[in-house]
């Protein structure tokens, strides 16, 4: 476990966890060398597990001048942190008083051992897959494979690509599940009144979880 998650905030549904990582692929790679923590902010490609390879895989790359490359080349254990929608929650939203402020958020930690990829052989594959994932929304997507070979060859020495075979996943969707139903409804209403992408995204997740919890309670 790399993340403390109270039971009422733990998210178990793999499809929701994968959705968060795909929608928020800019994560933080965390390693430790000689008791010194290192972190880099990177874009990742997520591959779900398959029947032949059940472990999910994260693909990424670093600038070869980044000191964290030593940990990558050494096959260190790593944690990748992904953050989803989050927002401040005012006590004014609650129906129960007195209450204190808090912060609602979604976070996923994926941990595993790093597998460095040969810089000359795999950089094109990793960068091509990463680019394709982020170009899908364009009518005429850019294709990394269409770059001139001499251009990409000149850039490869500056890149270290890697894969992380995910061994553990901890997901926390802290969305006021420890409050009463009326309090949760009050937070949803308050966030919708504020508006804005983050507030509305948190309100939508809260509404989904509240509906799920209500249905589970009724079916008992």
């Amino acid at each position: 476990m790399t993340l403390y998650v109270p039971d009422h905030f733990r998210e178990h549904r793999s499809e929701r966890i994968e959705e968060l990582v795909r929608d928020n692929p800019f994560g933080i790679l965390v390693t430790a060398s000689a008791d010194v923590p290192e972190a880099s902010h990177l874009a990742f490609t997520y591959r779900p597990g398959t029947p032949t390879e059940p472990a999910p895989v994260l693909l990424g790359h670093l600038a070869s001048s980044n000191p964290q490359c030593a940990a990558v080349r050494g096959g260190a254990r790593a944690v990748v942190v992904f953050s989803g929608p989050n927002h401040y929650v005012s006590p004014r939203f609650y129906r129960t008083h007195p209450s204190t402020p808090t912060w609602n958020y979604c976070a996923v930690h994926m941990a595993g051992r790093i597998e460095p990829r040969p810089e000359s052989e795999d950089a094109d594959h990793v960068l091509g897959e990463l680019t394709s994932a982020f170009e899908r929304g364009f009518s005429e997507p850019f294709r990394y494979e269409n770059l001139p070979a001499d251009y990409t060859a000149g850039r490869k020495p500056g890149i270290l690509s890697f894969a992380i075979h995910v061994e553990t996943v901890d997901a926390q969707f802290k969305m006021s599940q420890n409050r009463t139903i009326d309090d949760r409804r009050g937070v949803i209403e308050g966030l919708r009144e504020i508006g804005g992408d983050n507030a509305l995204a948190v309100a939508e997740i809260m509404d989904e979880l509240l509906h799920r919890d209500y249905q589970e309670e009724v079916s008992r």
Side-chain angles (χ1 to χ4, degrees):
M1 182 185 75
T2 66
L3 176 67
Y4 166 66
V5 187
D7 287 342
H8 42 271
F9 297 146
R10 183 172 293 278
E11 179 57 64
H12 296 280
R13 296 170 295 170
S14 59
E15 68 275 12
R16 294 295 280 119
I17 295 170
E18 291 176 11
E19 181 182 27
L20 184 143
V21 172
R22 286 200 173 96
D23 289 347
N24 303 274
F26 195 65
I28 304 174
L29 174 70
V30 182
T31 58
S33 300
D35 295 327
V36 177
E38 296 177 304
S40 295
H41 297 256
L42 308 170
F44 289 88
T45 302
Y46 175 82
R47 285 184 189 165
T50 65
T52 55
E53 294 186 19
V57 175
L58 293 171
L59 296 176
H61 67 284
L62 288 165
S64 58
S65 57
N66 188 326
Q68 199 173 13
C69 284
V72 173
R73 290 192 177 97
R77 291 190 57 79
V79 177
V80 181
V81 179
F82 297 99
S83 296
N86 64 92
H87 205 278
Y88 171 73
V89 175
S90 170
R92 296 179 295 110
F93 299 159
Y94 296 132
R95 311 285 167 76
T96 303
H97 300 286
S99 293
T100 55
T102 191
W103 202 280
N104 280 2
Y105 62 91
C106 297
V108 173
H109 286 203
M110 293 186 169
R113 192 166 294 283
I114 304 174
E115 175 195 339
R117 296 294 180 88
E119 286 142 273
S120 60
E121 299 173 16
D122 211 54
D124 283 340
H125 176 75
V126 171
L127 292 172
E129 189 168 339
L130 181 70
T131 305
S132 295
F134 300 143
E135 288 281 332
R136 287 188 186 123
F138 296 98
S139 57
E140 296 182 7
F142 167 83
R143 292 184 61 82
Y144 179 86
E145 295 82 357
N146 292 340
L147 288 170
D150 58 343
Y151 175 80
T152 57
R155 297 181 64 83
K156 287 178 189 176
I159 295 170
L160 175 60
S161 58
F162 63 88
I164 298 175
H165 298 271
V166 178
E167 298 169 2
T168 63
V169 177
D170 291 301
Q172 179 162 206
F173 284 27
K174 179 185 174 296
M175 293 287 154
S176 301
Q177 298 97 313
N178 57 330
R179 305 290 306 200
T180 66
I181 288 178
D182 282 345
D183 281 347
R184 293 167 73 176
R185 287 174 176 157
V187 175
I188 292 169
E189 292 173 9
L191 292 173
R192 286 175 173 163
E193 184 177 343
I194 290 174
D197 291 345
N198 262 342
L200 293 177
V202 170
E204 181 178 352
I205 295 171
M206 288 189 65
D207 195 37
E208 176 214 340
L209 293 175
L210 179 60
H211 180 74
R212 184 193 68 181
D213 293 348
Y214 177 77
Q215 291 299 322
E216 290 178 354
E217 185 68 27
V218 169
S219 63
R220 285 175 185 169

